[in-house]
Structures are given as C-alpha cells and as structure tokens.
Amino acid sequence: MVTTPGIKFLHSTMQKISVVIICRNEETEIGRCLQSLNGLTDDIVVLDNGSTDGTKEIVRKMGGHLVEESWEGFGKTKNKATKFAKYDWVLNLDADESVDEELKKSLINLSLIDEEEVFEIKFKNFFGKKYLRFGEWGGDKHVRVFNRNKVNWNEAKVHEVLLFSPGIKVKKLKGYILHYTVETVAEFADKVIKYALLSAEKYAEQGKKSSWFKINIAPSFTFLKYYIFKLGFLDGRKGFICAKMTSYYTFLKYARLLELNEKTQKNHPL
C-alpha cells in the first residue's frame, strides 16, 4: 500500500468532511470531479486500484490524498478507502461524478452534529452531453453523506449498499451530483457487460436461480418499464439506447447466472 498526502488548503468555509473516491484509469473524469470540490474540504481521499493511465498524476497535481490499494470488490474497497479519511463525516463520490454549486453550499452549511443523520442527494445523469430526465436514470437519488461511526457499506462485489442501524434519520440536501455516466455507446456496452457479469456472480454466491422465463421474458419487461412506463422515450434517441442497454444487461445477467447454476449443480449433484 502506498499513500501520497494531499495538499492541505486552509479556508474559513472549509467543511470538516472527507470526500472518498475509488477509481481505476479515470484520467478523463477525475479532474472534473476534483475541480468541483474546490473550496469544500481539505481532505479528498482517492483510492486507486491499479491505474495505468494518468489518473494518479492528476490526483497528485490537484491535491488529493492518493492511496494505492488492491481491488476487493466495490463494497470492501469503499470501506477500505473510508478508513483513510481524516474526518468521520464522509461524502462518497465516484470518479465520474461532480458536485454542483448548490450542493457544495449545502454541504458547507451542514452542522454535522448528529451522527445518526445521513443525507440523500439528487442526481443528474448524463449520456454524453444529454441530461436524462426520464427512464431508469430520471429522478435518481442516493444517500452519499454519512458518519462512518454509524454507517458504512456492505461487502457486496457490485451494487453495494449502505447499512443503516436502527434510528438512522435520512435528510435531503439541495443541489445535485452530476453523474457523467458514459460518453459513447461502446463505453456503455463495456459497462453493461462488466456489471451484468459481476451481478450474476453475486446472485450465484447468494444462491439465487435463473430460469428460461428470466432470460427470455424479464429483458422485455425491463425495456417496457424504463422506456414506456418511466417515460424514457421522452429522452429521445439516448433514452431508447439506455432502455435497450438495460434490457440487455438483464438478459446477460440471467444468462450468465443460469450458466453458473448449471456449473454448481454439476459440481455438487444431489
């Protein structure tokens, strides 16, 4: 493990909150993310798990606290990164996410007194330069600010979630996280394949089963849900592509899961 201390900025409005980011080969995204955090905090932890492009150099240049660690799946790696934070209050971001000015003001003005509070933030998701207002990504919101003494991630390899103990109160923040999800269809396809295969492995480990119905019917329902019922068609061509990609994700996930189910059955017959 290698750590590189970040540059410490002093400013009266700096918030006692640590921003925690995990990344790999994000040279096209990480600079925009870090730039959006200027003036918010003096502690930005970036855990890099093997970048071979210019990601690490950009983090160092822009004053992030660079930590180099191995990859252990999304949940475990995020928890590992959180341990390097200077403050107990954490804002979790991905490298392709930025905070807008309204959200930055909201974060700076937070009292951060009650450790049992967590804060939910609205998202604006982009496909290239297109802001997707509908479909799967429309109205997106997630809890991203929490106190690590009370809340942390589960250990899921993919689609990790925060674990809340009884008594945790969810508050809403003004402003948006700007999520630049993908630039091109090719990039989108790569992500769909990666996450579908990881999700299939996660399901297999949990003992979940696939079936002919899930492979053949579930993808069609997924498309209808996001393109028709959630009005994805109002996002035009990009909305159609998103719905089709999510449909393909569903197909690939269950097709791979069936393969893993059959492998398990072969290795452990009744």
Side-chain angles (χ1 to χ4, degrees), residues 33-51:
C33 175
L34 297 178
Q35 182 64 38
S36 76
L37 299 168
N38 186 36
L40 172 61
T41 177
D42 64 354
D43 189 47
I44 301 174
V45 177
V46 181
L47 187 148
D48 185 275
N49 55 92
S51 288

Side-chain angles (χ1 to χ4, degrees), residues 166-185:
I168 292 295
K169 302 176 286 290
V170 180
K171 302 294 183 70
K172 300 180 187 297
L173 290 180
K174 292 183 178 180
Y176 289 87
I177 287 177
L178 309 177
H179 184 199
Y180 300 93
T181 53
V182 291
E183 284 291 327
T184 66
V185 171

Side-chain angles (χ1 to χ4, degrees), residues 29-251:
E29 304 290 345
I30 193 67
R32 175 172 52 199
C33 175
L34 297 178
Q35 182 64 38
S36 76
L37 299 168
N38 186 36
L40 172 61
T41 177
D42 64 354
D43 189 47
I44 301 174
V45 177
V46 181
L47 187 148
D48 185 275
N49 55 92
S51 288
T52 55
D53 62 1
T55 298
K56 290 182 282 190
E57 289 71 22
I58 293 170
V59 173
R60 293 188 185 102
K61 182 178 179 180
M62 298 190 70
H65 175 185
L66 179 67
V67 180
E68 298 183 59
E69 284 277 357
S70 60
W71 178 254
E72 297 184 41
F74 283 95
K76 285 186 177 181
T77 304
K78 283 187 176 182
N79 282 336
K80 185 161 52 173
T82 299
K83 293 178 181 178
F84 289 96
K86 175 180 177 181
Y87 303 112
D88 289 331
W89 284 98
V90 170
L91 165 63
N92 177 260
L93 291 177
D94 291 339
D96 60 358
E97 297 171 348
S98 303
V99 302
D100 70 4
E101 287 300 319
E102 185 177 19
L103 177 56
K104 188 190 294 186
K105 290 177 183 177
S106 297
L107 291 166
I108 288 172
N109 291 325
L110 279 179
S111 62
L112 301 179
I113 294 175
D114 187 350
E115 291 187 356
E116 294 193 339
E117 288 182 340
V118 297
F119 296 91
E120 183 180 79
I121 304 172
K122 294 177 291 185
F123 277 58
K124 287 184 177 179
N125 293 297
F126 294 84
F127 182 172
K129 295 181 180 180
K130 174 71 174 178
Y131 167 32
L132 299 170
R133 299 175 181 273
F134 305 97
E136 181 183 9
W137 292 343
D140 202 13
K141 55 188 177 182
H142 301 281
V143 170
R144 287 296 190 87
V145 178
F146 56 90
N147 189 294
R148 64 183 174 185
N149 293 326
K150 298 293 183 177
V151 175
N152 232 307
W153 302 95
N154 66 1
E155 297 191 343
K157 290 182 179 179
V158 66
H159 299 315
E160 68 287 356
V161 296
L162 288 168
L163 299 174
F164 298 161
S165 58
I168 292 295
K169 302 176 286 290
V170 180
K171 302 294 183 70
K172 300 180 187 297
L173 290 180
K174 292 183 178 180
Y176 289 87
I177 287 177
L178 309 177
H179 184 199
Y180 300 93
T181 53
V182 291
E183 284 291 327
T184 66
V185 171
E187 183 185 348
F188 202 165
D190 286 343
K191 283 194 172 184
V192 164
I193 294 169
K194 173 185 174 182
Y195 283 101
L197 297 179
L198 285 172
S199 293
E201 291 178 10
K202 174 183 174 181
Y203 279 12
E205 290 173 359
Q206 293 173 343
K208 294 184 179 181
K209 303 296 182 182
S210 185
S211 65
W212 180 93
F213 177 86
K214 290 178 179 178
I215 293 174
N216 290 277
I217 306 301
S220 297
F221 276 111
T222 298
F223 177 79
L224 289 172
K225 176 182 177 181
Y226 293 121
Y227 191 64
I228 303 299
F229 301 126
K230 291 206 169 184
L231 308 179
F233 63 89
L234 294 177
D235 283 323
R237 179 171 59 89
K238 295 290 180 68
F240 176 79
I241 293 171
C242 286
K244 290 295 287 186
M245 285 291 193
T246 306
S247 174
Y248 177 63
Y249 163 87
T250 304
F251 164 77

